[in-house]
Structures are given as structure tokens and as C-alpha cells.
Amino acid sequence: MAGVRWTDAELKFLEENYTSKNSCKYIAETLGRSIRAVYTMADRMGLSVQWEYRRIDKDGYVEVVLGSSVKKKEHRYVYEQEYGIVLSGYEHIHHLDEDKQNNVIENLVMMSPANHNRLHAMIERKDIEALRKFEAVLLYHDVPKYQKWLNSFFLQCDIV
Ligand SMILES: [Zn+2]
């Protein structure tokens, strides 16, 4: 069955809301359309976030459900989508601002579990020299984000 033609206002709403903050389900309910219709139109428009549900898991992470059954942590999904990779258990994603629910790409950096533990320990001890050197273990596209965070961390610790 062909759906009812989308109005310009609906297309604009879809474009503005098809993000990590608003699920397909929310958009579908707001517009009175099916989730599938939302997916299809978003795909046609080249919009990239594609999940049905978004919820907070028991550890405080945002979990998204893709398609009918695939569950993922949102921060890992956002990172994979941005850089076109598939993460394994050997890659951790660290939230620079330490807010587990702030999953904008600027807040996410990838590292090994061991380096992730080291980083948290360095932050805890305010080990400035080690933190300065830490960017060497990051991927090139994560370095600018890390440097920006480090500057704000220095300010917060009164180090200039
Ligand atoms: Zn972390």
C-alpha cells in the first residue's frame, strides 16, 4: 500500500528529529505514520540514524534497538556510524565529559580496555604529564577532541 504523500512540514520535522536524540518510534508516533515509513523516507533522504527504541540500561548507558532485534550501546553505534567501522570487545569508547549519555561524536574517543583504565586513573590522580602524552595512543580523528577536552580539564584544575 502506498502511503499518504509526505508534506514539506513532515519532511522538515523528520530531518530535524532523525538524530540520536529522537527515535524512529517517536517520529512515527508524532506524525501518525508507521516506523517502516519513517525508516524508508529517512533512508531516501540520506539520513543515517536508524533505530526504533532508545532507552537507558541498568548501568546508565543509552541502549538503542536497531531494526527488529539488534541491541547496541548508543555510544558504540554512533562511533561505528561516524567512522564506518565495527567495534569488537577489544575497543572501548570513552566519554570525554564522563557523561555516559552524552553520545555526540565530539564526546567519544576509542581506545583499548587497558588504556581506558589507565586514562581513568590519570584523570583521578590529575596526572597532567601522563594526560598530555596520552593522545599518542589515540586514533588521529580522536586527537583534536581529546586535546579540546584536555584544555578544559586543565582549566578546571587551574593549570594553565
Ligand atoms: Zn571512560
Side-chain angles (χ1 to χ4, degrees):
M1 187 187 90
V4 181
R5 200 186 155 86
W6 288 63
T7 64
D8 287 347
E10 284 181 311
L11 293 173
K12 189 161 181 276
F13 180 85
L14 174 63
E15 193 165 22
E16 287 171 358
N17 288 276
Y18 203 69
T19 64
S20 61
K21 301 292 175 204
N22 291 311
S23 68
C24 266
K25 187 166 184 274
Y26 163 78
I27 296 167
E29 280 169 2
T30 306
L31 297 179
R33 290 180 178 274
S34 68
I35 289 173
R36 177 145 312 278
V38 171
Y39 272 142
T40 306
M41 184 54 75
D43 191 45
R44 209 180 290 168
M45 291 169 77
L47 306 175
S48 65
V49 180
Q50 298 169 43
W51 52 71
E52 291 179 28
Y53 300 98
R54 190 173 181 276
R55 62 188 169 219
I56 309 303
D57 75 6
K58 61 177 172 31
D59 301 314
Y61 289 98
V62 181
E63 189 173 73
V64 293
V65 180
L66 305 155
S68 56
S69 62
V70 183
K71 265 190 239 169
K72 265 187 185 278
K73 299 292 178 251
E74 185 184 53
H75 57 291
R76 296 178 72 81
Y77 179 72
V78 168
Y79 198 93
E80 288 180 343
Q81 289 292 303
E82 177 72 17
Y83 300 116
I85 56 169
V86 177
L87 295 168
S88 74
Y90 297 102
E91 290 110 12
H92 276 198
I93 301 297
H94 169 69
H95 291 83
L96 288 169
D97 70 356
E98 301 195 50
D99 176 353
K100 293 170 181 174
Q101 295 173 18
N102 180 12
N103 296 325
V104 296
I105 194 69
E106 293 73 27
N107 195 38
L108 306 176
V109 290
M110 181 172 91
M111 62 197 68
S112 69
N115 280 328
H116 195 191
N117 285 336
R118 281 179 52 218
L119 176 60
H120 278 275
M122 289 181 231
I123 293 169
E124 186 76 28
R125 304 193 295 273
K126 297 192 167 68
D127 187 342
I128 298 309
E129 280 321 301
L131 284 167
R132 271 191 225 278
K133 288 179 194 147
F134 190 77
E135 71 175 51
V137 310
L138 298 173
L139 283 175
Y140 65 97
H141 56 236
D142 287 342
V143 171
K145 303 182 235 179
Y146 179 77
Q147 288 171 336
K148 197 172 165 211
W149 167 80
L150 196 56
N151 286 334
S152 64
F153 186 73
F154 287 169
L155 284 175
Q156 195 189 310
C157 301
D158 269 332
I159 297 156
V160 273

